């Protein structure tokens, strides 16, 4: 009995010690959990991100057709010599503006002029003979046949003189129309063969631009429509013009139709052969919601924007019984957060893009700083530096 009672007391003591250890472990675990919860509750909220934003508005949008074209002179020709001859003098400078009929080059015509004078003298002699014979014919001294022969001789000699005069005139090379000359390589004393190029002459005010549009867009095009033209040579300038002609057939290989437009060029800044971007205004103006293109984030799964709105303030909740530590602070009144929204975009012009669906007028949209945002991110708006939002941007020096 004594031994059995001793073992029972020892077992009780072990159970008591084991229970105390389990209780101690439970208390330690509970304290660690409450400490972690308190740390999480007291951890600072993410700092608001600084972004720029704009309010989306409706704007007038002029539909247009875009194409590329080539500038062509209204009149253009390489001035050449019709006959051979030695250059005696040059009466122009390279790049000069000339008028129609202005003398450009004088070829040596001394021998031709001498022959012209001889032919003119022979024609005068034949006319004198005809006059005397008519007097003799009046008194029946000669026959009508002699008069006819004299008359034919006069006409023949005058024709030979006129032919020689035309040959002499060809030795003086003139501008066929008004325009601007190019650069010449002809010098006095040089011998020219028929067809040799002397200088190029171009009429460039106004100037034509030839471009092509697809046949499906032909219905929205007509003569007289306004267009704007830009060139890499003058990227800061938009030149206005009008459609002047539409080809009477469609190219069966490309299904495109050729269009010609006339562009005023008083300062001669546009030159034949230049490449040009053409925008033809078609139809009536429309109204679209517009945003700077920097506001749109393009992804394989769609285009998105971040819309700025005040954070909702939740109702306060009672603390759970037995909990320790403060709860997470609710959003402050007036704090701004963002929400990601899918949008459908339309045409673009300059720095702007048309938004067809996904937004409504008056909403505030982030225009820069989207890379650091996600749904619910707090933001602070600073428009000290705003993205460009110009429908007709021009290059700027940096």
């Amino acid at each position: 009995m004594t031994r059995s009672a001793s073992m029972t007391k020892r077992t009780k003591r072990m159970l008591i010690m084991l229970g105390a250890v389990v209780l101690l472990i439970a208390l330690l675990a509970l304290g660690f959990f409450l400490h972690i919860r308190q740390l999480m509750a007291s951890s600072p909220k993410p700092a608001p991100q600084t972004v720029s934003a704009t309010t989306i508005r409706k704007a007038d949008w002029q539909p247009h057709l875009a194409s590329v074209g080539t500038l062509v002179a209204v009149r253009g020709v390489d001035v050449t010599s019709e006959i051979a001859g030695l250059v005696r003098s040059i009466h122009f400078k390279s790049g000069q503006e000339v008028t129609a009929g202005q003398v450009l080059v004088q070829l040596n015509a001394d021998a031709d002029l001498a022959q012209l004078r001889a032919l003119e003298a022979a024609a005068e002699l034949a006319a004198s003979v005809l006059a005397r014979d008519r007097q003799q014919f009046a008194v029946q001294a000669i026959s009508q046949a002699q008069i006819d022969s004299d008359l034919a001789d006069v006409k023949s000699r005058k024709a030979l003189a006129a032919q020689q005069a035309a040959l002499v005139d060809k030795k003086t090379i003139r501008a066929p129309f008004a325009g601007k000359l190019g650069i010449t390589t002809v010098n006095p004393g040089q011998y020219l063969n028929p067809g040799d190029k002397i200088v190029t002459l171009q009429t460039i005010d106004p100037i034509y631009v030839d471009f092509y549009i697809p046949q499906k867009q032909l219905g929205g095009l007509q003569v007289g429509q306004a267009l704007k033209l830009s060139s890499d040579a003058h990227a800061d300038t938009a030149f206005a013009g009008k459609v002047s002609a539409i080809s009477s057939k469609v190219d069966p290989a490309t299904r495109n139709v050729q269009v010609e437009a006339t562009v005023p060029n008083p300062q001669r800044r546009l030159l034949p052969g230049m490449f040009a971007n053409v925008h033809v205004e078609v139809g009536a103006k429309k109204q679209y919601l517009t945003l700077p293109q920097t506001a749109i984030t393009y992804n394989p799964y769609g285009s998105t924007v971040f819309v700025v709105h005040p954070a909702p303030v939740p109702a306060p909740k009672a603390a759970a019984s037995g909990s320790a530590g403060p709860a997470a602070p609710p959003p402050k009144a007036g704090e701004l957060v963002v929400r990601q929204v899918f949008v459908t975009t339309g045409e673009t012009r300059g720095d702007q893009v048309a938004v067809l669906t996904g937004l409504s007028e008056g909403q505030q949209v982030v225009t820069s700083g989207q890379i650091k945002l996600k749904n619910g991110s707090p933001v602070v708006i600073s428009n000290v530096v705003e993205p460009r939002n110009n429908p007709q941007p021009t290059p700027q020096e940096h």
Side-chain angles (χ1 to χ4, degrees), residues 351-372:
D351 302 321
Q352 297 180 342
V353 60
V355 179
L356 305 181
T357 63
L359 296 175
S360 57
E361 188 175 9
Q363 288 183 299
Q364 201 168 25
V365 178
V366 175
T367 55
S368 65
Q370 301 95 320
I371 194 171
K372 52 191 176 183

Side-chain angles (χ1 to χ4, degrees), residues 282-294:
V282 293
K285 289 185 178 180
K286 300 180 180 179
Q287 282 199 331
Y288 288 124
L289 296 173
T290 60
L291 282 175
Q293 293 198 45
T294 56

Side-chain angles (χ1 to χ4, degrees), residues 4 15 42 214 218 227 231 265 304 332 378:
S4 177
L15 291 174
S42 62
L218 187 58
L227 61 81
S231 173
N265 188 29
T304 62
K332 297 178 181 179

Side-chain angles (χ1 to χ4, degrees), residues 68-263:
V68 295
T70 302
L71 297 176
V72 181
V74 173
R75 293 188 184 93
V77 68
D78 288 336
V79 179
T80 62
S81 174
E82 189 176 349
I83 60 176
L86 193 70
V87 177
R88 168 170 286 182
S89 59
I90 296 177
H91 299 270
F92 69 91
K93 294 182 179 179
S94 295
Q96 178 183 341
E97 293 277 349
V98 295
T99 58
Q102 182 174 332
V103 176
L104 302 179
V105 175
Q106 179 64 58
L107 301 180
N108 184 16
D110 292 344
D112 300 292
L113 284 171
Q115 187 175 359
L116 173 61
R117 294 189 186 98
L119 291 173
E120 288 174 343
E124 291 176 0
L125 177 60
S128 299
V129 171
L130 175 62
R132 288 195 299 269
D133 287 348
R134 281 178 173 171
Q135 291 176 356
Q136 294 180 5
F137 178 73
V139 295
Q140 302 296 319
I142 60 174
S143 65
Q144 180 65 40
Q146 184 62 42
I147 297 297
D148 293 342
S149 176
D150 291 344
L151 186 59
D153 186 53
V154 170
K155 291 181 178 179
S156 175
R157 292 185 182 277
K158 285 185 177 181
L160 290 174
Q163 182 182 15
Q164 187 64 21
L167 182 64
V168 170
D169 188 62
K170 290 179 181 179
K171 293 296 182 76
T172 303
I173 302 172
R174 304 174 183 273
F177 49 82
K180 185 175 182 179
L181 297 174
I183 297 175
T184 184
T185 57
V186 175
N187 296 297
Q190 182 176 341
Y191 186 82
L192 292 180
N193 290 307
D196 285 351
K197 175 182 175 181
I198 298 174
V199 67
T200 184
L201 175 62
Q202 307 285 326
T203 298
I204 55 177
D205 182 28
I207 195 169
Y208 290 148
V209 56
D210 289 344
F211 58 97
Y212 291 84
I213 64 168
Q215 65 176 17
K216 66 179 181 180
Q217 297 176 338
L218 187 58
L221 192 68
Q222 60 184 2
V223 174
Q225 279 183 288
L227 61 81
K228 291 190 180 296
L229 177 149
S230 62
S231 173
D232 293 342
H234 306 286
D236 59 339
T237 305
F239 300 88
K242 290 185 177 181
V243 175
S244 54
I246 301 174
S247 178
S248 57
K249 71 171 187 176
V250 176
D251 187 345
T254 61
R255 306 303 177 189
N256 292 335
V257 63
Q258 184 179 3
V259 181
E260 181 183 81
T262 304
V263 180

